[in-house]
Amino acid sequence: MLYILALLIGVVAGLRAMTAPAAVAWGACLGWLPVAGTWAGFMGHWITVGIFTILALAELVTDQLPSTPSRKVPQQFGARIVMGAFTGAVIGATGGATIGGLIAGAIGAVIGTLGGAELRKRLAIAFGKDLPAALIEDAVAIIGGLLIVAAVA
């Protein structure tokens, strides 16, 4: 079950790179993720929550801009994989399976990045513009991230 949740948080990272660590940090801070005493214990600190929350909000705003590069360019794709692997490793650390969580999170990030890009393109065509598609993607990432973290608890 832990690997499935790590894969799913990776998918969230593929949709929104910074929403996944923000959700994980909130979960750790609220005590939903038992990371105290592990290498990921810093995720439960309020400073970490604040930093990741600000970065997630900034990503939500900048992703709506017309100048935002495609998530498939190497830098964007790489960042999403790194965030998926990181958040998957944090989820894995709650059950002593850091490496397995890291791998599952990275795989989930690839799925989320490629699948999310295709879905967003199709939604943008259906709506006639990109903003509604982006807002739907934002909602899915935020709600999904919080539900995944809550499921670990």
Side-chain angles (χ1 to χ4, degrees):
M1 180 68 168
L2 202 59
Y3 294 127
I4 292 171
L5 295 172
L7 178 86
L8 291 174
I9 201 71
V11 170
V12 170
L15 294 173
R16 290 281 175 264
M18 300 313 296
T19 298
V24 168
W26 274 103
C29 188
L30 293 172
W32 297 350
L33 292 177
V35 294
T38 70
W39 67 269
F42 71 96
M43 289 297 284
H45 196 279
W46 65 269
I47 292 175
T48 308
V49 172
I51 291 169
F52 280 126
T53 300
I54 289 168
L55 291 172
L57 291 172
E59 182 184 26
L60 292 175
V61 171
T62 58
D63 191 56
Q64 317 312 325
L65 302 174
S67 61
T68 303
S70 166
R71 71 183 70 205
K72 293 182 184 178
V73 299
Q75 297 87 351
Q76 293 272 344
F77 195 48
R80 291 170 191 276
I81 293 171
V82 167
M83 283 295 111
F86 170 70
T87 54
V90 172
I91 298 276
T94 65
T98 300
I99 300 299
L102 183 141
I103 293 168
I107 292 168
V110 171
I111 293 167
T113 300
L114 299 177
E118 183 61 31
L119 180 61
R120 182 166 171 174
K121 182 174 77 174
R122 290 178 186 214
L123 285 172
I125 290 169
F127 287 118
K129 53 187 171 183
D130 191 50
L131 184 60
L135 294 175
I136 290 170
E137 188 178 45
D138 293 345
V140 168
I142 293 167
I143 294 167
L146 292 174
L147 288 175
I148 292 162
V149 170
V152 175

